[in-house]
Amino acid sequence: MLEVLLQDETEVKKILTDKWFLSQQSLVFFCADILGMEIAEFHFSWERLSRKYLQLLIEAARDHGKSWFWAFAYVIWKLRFNKLDGCLISYSEDQVINLTTHIKTEIENND
C-alpha cells in the first residue's frame, strides 16, 4: 500500500510536507526524524517541560543525553527554524568546543 502511495508525486510531497511541519512543531520528532536520534520516554517529558516553562533545569544521571539533547539537538532545531535566542553554557570549555564542532558539522552536512 505504501509503495502505491509513494508512486504518486503529490502524495510524496504531502508526506514530506507533513514531516517538515511535524519537525517544526516537535523537538522530539525533529530529533528522531531529522537527526536520527533514538528517543526515550523522558525526551517527551523534557519537550513538554520546555514548552511549559521559559527557564528550565534538567537533572538526570550521566549518559542520559542531556548535553546532546539540549546543547546539540535543541540548538540545531532552534537555528533551523529561526527561533534561537540564547547561549550555550557547559561544564568545560572542551565540552563547549566539542558541542559547537558537532553543531557546525551537522549544519554543513545534513541534507
Side-chain angles (χ1 to χ4, degrees):
M1 179 69 172
L2 183 59
E3 293 168 351
V4 173
L5 286 175
L6 293 179
Q7 290 175 359
D8 181 359
E9 187 177 329
T10 305
E11 284 298 316
V12 171
K13 287 180 181 177
K14 181 181 180 330
I15 290 167
L16 292 175
T17 300
D18 290 347
K19 286 176 71 171
W20 194 246
F21 175 77
L22 288 171
S23 291
Q24 288 177 306
Q25 302 303 310
S26 170
L27 172 59
V28 171
F29 187 86
F30 179 81
C31 288
D33 190 62
I34 304 298
L35 300 178
M37 179 180 169
E38 205 171 305
I39 300 300
E41 185 60 37
F42 59 85
H43 291 115
F44 290 98
S45 298
W46 290 357
E47 181 177 25
R48 280 191 300 273
L49 289 168
S50 73
R51 291 180 184 278
K52 186 174 181 178
Y53 300 103
L54 184 58
Q55 296 179 354
L56 187 62
L57 171 66
I58 299 289
E59 289 186 285
R62 293 179 64 89
D63 296 326
H64 274 72
K66 295 177 300 294
S67 294
W68 198 93
F69 189 79
W70 293 110
F72 175 72
Y74 182 78
V75 169
I76 289 179
W77 181 62
K78 289 290 198 174
L79 285 170
R80 177 59 191 101
F81 300 110
N82 301 313
K83 298 185 272 189
L84 184 64
D85 182 20
C87 65
L88 181 58
I89 300 171
S90 191
Y91 173 74
S92 70
E93 182 180 4
D94 288 342
Q95 189 175 31
V96 170
I97 291 168
N98 186 31
L99 288 167
T100 54
T101 300
H102 285 316
I103 291 167
K104 181 181 179 208
T105 302
E106 185 66 29
I107 290 170
E108 291 175 345
N109 297 323
N110 192 313
D111 297 334

